[in-house]
């Protein structure tokens, strides 16, 4: 089990890695390329795989610039676990008597990050992802949660500018190491 939440450090290096992953998850490269509004959530995750590898190469290159390109590529591929990859396994973990598993896991050195991607337009979809993120925070060092707002008026995304929502998002980060954003 990952170290207790009170001892999960937010060092500059760790936060930079989390922020780079969030940058990828929010990237226009993904959302301007695919028809995310009409495709299923699994399609979005599948498309994210290759940009993820590219971003992880960048991260590994920054962490160890003297490594060969072949080593960096190998480490990038080994760092990403994806639930739909036939060559890797994301093991479920037991919490509150039921099994849980994030969409992706990024492992770099001793850092473990759970990634959750949800698509929807209702409060139920948002709450489901937040609940999953809180559960993942019990097992992982950090959680990155992206909600893909497909409502016609982008009501979830627009709400992030309100004070209560800003406070909530900051609370997720400050108290649970959960980075949350809406596309």
């Amino acid at each position: 089990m990952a170290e207790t939440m009170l001892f999960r450090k937010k060092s500059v290096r760790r936060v930079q890695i989390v922020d780079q992953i969030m940058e990828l998850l929010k990237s226009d490269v993904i959302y301007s390329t695919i028809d995310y509004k009409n495709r299923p959530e699994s399609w979005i995750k599948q498309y994210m795989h290759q940009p993820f590898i590219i971003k992880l190469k960048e991260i590994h290159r920054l962490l160890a610039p003297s490594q060969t390109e072949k080593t960096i590529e190998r480490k990038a591929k080994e760092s990403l676990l994806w639930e739909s990859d036939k060559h890797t396994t994301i093991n479920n973990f037991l919490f509150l008597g039921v099994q849980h598993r994030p969409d992706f896991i990024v492992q770099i050195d001793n850092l473990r990050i759970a990634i959750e991607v949800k698509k929807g337009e209702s409060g139920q979809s948002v709450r489901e992802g937040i609940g999953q993120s809180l559960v993942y925070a019990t097992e992982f060092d950090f959680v990155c949660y992206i909600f893909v707002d497909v409502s016609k008026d982008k009501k979830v995304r627009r709400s992030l500018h309100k004070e209560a929502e800003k406070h909530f998002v900051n609370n997720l980060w400050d108290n649970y190491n959960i980075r949350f954003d809406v596309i």
Side-chain angles (χ1 to χ4, degrees):
M1 181 179 227
E3 56 198 29
T4 63
M5 299 237 305
L6 294 174
F7 300 108
R8 294 187 180 157
K9 295 178 184 155
K10 287 183 183 163
S11 68
V12 171
R13 176 181 171 262
R14 290 172 141 223
V15 172
Q16 285 176 339
I17 292 169
V18 170
D19 287 345
Q20 287 184 32
I21 290 168
M22 285 300 287
E23 179 183 300
L24 165 76
L25 293 171
K26 299 184 315 183
S27 171
D28 283 341
V29 169
I30 296 167
Y31 303 99
S32 66
T33 305
I34 62 172
D35 183 13
Y36 69 90
K37 292 177 184 173
N38 296 310
R39 294 287 191 162
E41 191 176 287
S42 61
W43 184 267
I44 298 168
K45 294 174 199 174
Q46 182 177 355
Y47 188 80
M48 285 179 170
H49 186 262
Q50 193 56 39
F52 236 129
I53 297 297
I54 292 167
K55 177 56 81 176
L56 288 169
K57 283 185 203 177
E58 290 175 22
I59 291 169
H60 281 287
R61 196 173 290 115
L62 288 171
L63 293 175
S66 63
Q67 291 184 334
T68 67
E69 198 58 32
K70 186 175 182 178
T71 300
I72 288 170
E73 186 161 338
R74 178 185 52 79
K75 284 185 169 191
K77 288 179 181 177
E78 290 173 353
S79 295
L80 182 65
L81 302 175
W82 176 37
E83 67 179 352
S84 295
D85 186 347
K86 296 173 186 166
H87 299 41
T88 63
T89 301
I90 295 181
N91 294 319
N92 292 335
F93 65 94
L94 191 64
F95 187 77
L96 295 173
V98 294
Q99 300 290 324
H100 302 275
R101 179 180 68 193
D103 296 324
F104 296 94
I105 296 173
V106 172
Q107 298 179 139
I108 297 177
D109 300 329
N110 293 327
L111 177 62
R112 295 180 66 235
I113 305 166
I115 291 135
E116 187 63 30
V117 179
K118 284 282 179 239
K119 173 187 163 187
E121 57 185 316
S122 69
Q124 179 181 344
S125 301
V126 175
R127 286 187 301 272
E128 185 177 311
I130 290 169
Q132 287 175 276
S133 296
L134 288 168
V135 168
Y136 302 151
T138 67
E139 189 73 18
F140 292 86
D141 299 308
F142 294 91
V143 178
C144 294
Y145 169 35
I146 288 293
F147 181 76
V148 181
D149 183 359
V150 293
S151 64
K152 287 183 173 76
D153 61 354
K154 296 287 188 185
K155 62 186 173 194
V156 178
R157 185 174 181 186
R158 285 187 302 113
S159 74
L160 291 182
H161 301 293
K162 296 178 181 176
E163 284 306 310
E165 284 82 348
K166 285 180 188 178
H167 179 71
F168 178 73
V169 169
N170 289 335
N171 186 40
L172 287 174
W173 177 244
D174 293 343
N175 296 312
Y176 301 99
N177 286 0
I178 297 171
R179 278 280 201 236
F180 169 63
D181 211 338
V182 179
I183 295 300

